[in-house]
Amino acid sequence: GQNIDQPTEMTATEGAIVQINCTYQTSGFNGLFWYQQHAGEAPTFLSYNVLDGLEEKGRFSSFLSRSKGYSYLLLKELQMKDSASYLCAVMDSNYQLIWGAGTKLIIKP
Amino acid sequence: IAGITQAPTSQILAAGRRMTLRCTQDMRHNAMYWYRQDLGLGLRLIHYSNTAGTTGKGEVPDGYSVSRANTDDFPLTLASAVPSQTSVYFCASSDQAGGQETQYFGPGTRLLVL
């Protein structure tokens, strides 16, 4: 079966750095997405990786290793507004997104 | 309007009743999707449409139907609601299906079936 694993919850301090990991086993791979979802709101797109390596976008970076079935989202200079759930999703061989359950990130002052 | 709208925002429904969740996008996107989101689970695809006039089944299609008569609208119908269909329903769209196409989500419909 297809599976996306990410930690259920993480806690970090304002101003710090946090890394959210995602491992996947899917039938085929056509890219990996990270979305942010604030409580009670819709998911919004953060990043896309299809090749191995690091993609940097401001305070957020996303890394992919296809051989290891592994990705992480790195958030720097954490702000209180970064408190949200972070969803990892993989596009499979049928070009459908398989979603992880999300990681709830709690930022403390 | 800009982006994707969904209606209603929330609904309480008696089991056995028929219900249609509405979704409209104004981005002229070809592909549209319906997901449900349940606590502790990832988003699960119910149905999708790669272009107007075509639809396909996702991971959890049973009890749901869709239509895509035009580019903008993608309604989801529950023919006879059951309590297990209590969930948050998100409609999404992308310019094209597949590849690196980002999916954009509507605000969601919170449905409680009693």
Side-chain angles (χ1 to χ4, degrees), chain B residues 96-113:
Chain B
Q96 302 292 337
Q100 63 178 317
E101 294 293 336
T102 299
Q103 292 186 14
Y104 298 89
F105 285 78
T109 293
R110 285 145 188 81
L111 181 66
L112 174 61
V113 182

Side-chain angles (χ1 to χ4, degrees), chain A residues 1 27 29 44 53 63 65 67 78 88 109:
Chain A
S27 57
F29 179 85
T44 56
F63 172 84
S65 169
S67 63
L78 286 169
C88 174

Side-chain angles (χ1 to χ4, degrees), chain B residues 44-101:
Chain B
R44 290 182 292 169
L45 183 66
I46 304 171
H47 285 286
Y48 65 92
S49 169
N50 289 337
T51 189
T54 69
T55 62
K57 294 181 179 180
E59 179 186 356
V60 288
D62 294 343
Y64 305 95
S65 64
V66 292
S67 62
R68 186 88 185 276
N70 57 60
T71 298
D72 299 344
D73 301 301
F74 191 43
L76 176 75
T77 298
L78 289 66
S80 178
V82 295
S84 62
Q85 292 178 311
T86 293
S87 188
V88 180
Y89 291 86
F90 286 103
C91 179
S93 73
S94 62
D95 189 25
Q96 302 292 337
Q100 63 178 317
E101 294 293 336

Side-chain angles (χ1 to χ4, degrees), chain B residues 3-77:
Chain B
I4 302 179
T5 58
Q6 293 184 236
T9 302
S10 63
Q11 181 76 43
I12 299 174
L13 188 67
R17 297 296 295 269
R18 181 184 179 89
M19 173 78 189
T20 295
L21 309 185
R22 300 185 298 278
C23 174
T24 299
Q25 54 103 357
D26 66 354
M27 297 177 284
R28 307 303 295 172
H29 282 173
N30 284 301
M32 297 187 74
Y33 314 86
W34 273 105
Y35 291 95
R36 59 178 290 173
Q37 187 174 41
D38 302 291
L39 197 63
L41 298 177
L43 288 160
R44 290 182 292 169
L45 183 66
I46 304 171
H47 285 286
Y48 65 92
S49 169
N50 289 337
T51 189
T54 69
T55 62
K57 294 181 179 180
E59 179 186 356
V60 288
D62 294 343
Y64 305 95
S65 64
V66 292
S67 62
R68 186 88 185 276
N70 57 60
T71 298
D72 299 344
D73 301 301
F74 191 43
L76 176 75
T77 298

